[in-house]
Amino acid sequence: MQIITTITYTIWFARNQKVFQHQDIPVQLALPRALKLLHEYHHNINDQRLEPKTSSHPSFASNDKSWSPPPRNCLKLNVDAHLQDDGHWGLGMVLRRDDGRCVGAATRVIKGSNDVGLAETAGLKEALNLIQAMELDEVIVEMDAAVIVNAIHNKIFPRNQWGLLARECSRAFDLNNKLSLKWVSREGNHAAHSLARWAFTEPNKWWSNYFPDCINHHIQKDMAFVT
């Protein structure tokens, strides 16, 4: 229903642009814009929700309105997804130490879908794949998709594509008690979000240093929260 309503609104908006502004919006642009608008709406709704409860690192006080460093000797991997106008999803992952320094960053581009939850869960799956490939030990995975985080924490998965994928991701956390999942607001996930947008410029890349300029200023800004 959300998709139908958003597309209907986009058609109405395109009609008004044609009648009152004499501007044509091609259907090839209208549909991706509708899905992008719905994606942004979901993000805004998620940011207003309460932070899900976490079972790992209970003694670590976090700030969900800005990026916060992980506990000592622990890494934090932020991940986010961004919808491109052509219907593809860019994924951005930023790995940082407890002193706020970035030690790795990666991009992925995946085939488009109108399911925002599926794209966000695919980002989480890619983050877990990266952790496994790098043989990392203690890692906090952080994302701003509250619906996904809540599903995994509460072990309640919808019977759809992203629910099946979230259930698969949940097993990774069950098998490793040093691996945890946290929710953070969009304000605390700027670096990963910017890198997800950059993914279409440099898709499927890995950086261990000389990181893209789009995330450098976010990393420097976030380091101000390290005490």
Side-chain angles (χ1 to χ4, degrees):
M1 287 301 297
Q2 289 181 348
I3 294 173
I4 294 172
T5 303
T6 307
I7 291 177
T8 302
Y9 165 79
T10 305
I11 294 172
W12 173 80
F13 178 80
R15 175 259 182 198
N16 288 347
Q17 290 294 102
K18 175 67 174 178
V19 172
F20 300 110
Q21 304 295 332
H22 306 291
Q23 295 180 358
D24 287 318
I25 299 179
V27 66
Q28 294 88 347
L29 293 180
L31 181 57
R33 284 181 180 179
L35 298 179
K36 186 174 182 180
L37 181 65
L38 182 58
H39 177 227
E40 293 298 325
Y41 165 76
H42 281 172
H43 266 298
N44 290 334
I45 289 296
N46 289 344
D47 285 354
Q48 296 173 23
R49 299 189 177 188
L50 292 176
E51 179 186 7
K53 295 180 180 179
T54 56
S55 57
S56 300
H57 310 295
S59 62
F60 178 61
S62 65
N63 178 357
D64 60 20
K65 293 302 181 184
S66 60
W67 185 86
S68 58
R72 190 171 182 178
N73 299 322
C74 181
L75 295 171
K76 178 176 284 189
L77 180 60
N78 286 79
V79 58
D80 200 14
H82 175 74
L83 176 63
Q84 182 74 312
D85 286 341
D86 64 1
H88 284 74
W89 288 91
L91 307 176
M93 292 167 278
V94 180
L95 184 67
R96 282 177 276 190
R97 305 186 314 196
D98 54 4
D99 61 1
R101 294 186 181 277
C102 186
V103 294
T107 58
R108 299 287 186 272
V109 172
I110 59 176
K111 187 176 180 180
S113 166
N114 57 13
D115 189 339
V116 176
L118 181 58
E120 296 282 5
T121 313
L124 175 58
K125 178 62 176 175
E126 288 293 335
L128 293 172
N129 289 342
L130 182 64
I131 291 170
Q132 183 178 19
M134 296 181 67
E135 299 181 346
L136 301 177
D137 187 19
E138 192 168 356
V139 184
I140 297 172
V141 181
E142 198 168 67
M143 60 193 306
D144 57 34
V147 173
I148 310 302
V149 176
N150 273 323
I152 292 176
H153 283 176
N154 298 324
K155 306 294 184 185
I156 300 175
F157 306 101
R159 295 182 178 179
N160 56 23
Q161 284 184 295
W162 79 254
L164 292 174
L165 188 56
R167 185 186 297 272
E168 181 182 343
C169 292
S170 179
R171 296 191 187 102
F173 295 100
D174 293 338
L175 293 172
N176 184 356
N177 59 11
K178 293 185 177 181
L179 191 63
S180 61
L181 178 65
K182 277 182 76 270
W183 172 83
V184 71
S185 68
R186 172 67 70 85
E187 287 78 10
N189 208 32
H190 277 313
H193 181 70
S194 295
L195 192 60
R197 297 173 66 95
W198 185 255
F200 302 102
T201 303
E202 293 190 83
N204 306 315
K205 293 269 292 183
W206 162 257
W207 295 267
S208 58
N209 50 35
Y210 301 107
F211 303 107
D213 289 340
C214 66
I215 66 172
N216 281 330
H217 68 285
H218 291 302
I219 293 171
Q220 292 299 320
K221 181 180 178 181
D222 290 342
M223 286 180 71
F225 296 100
V226 178
T227 56

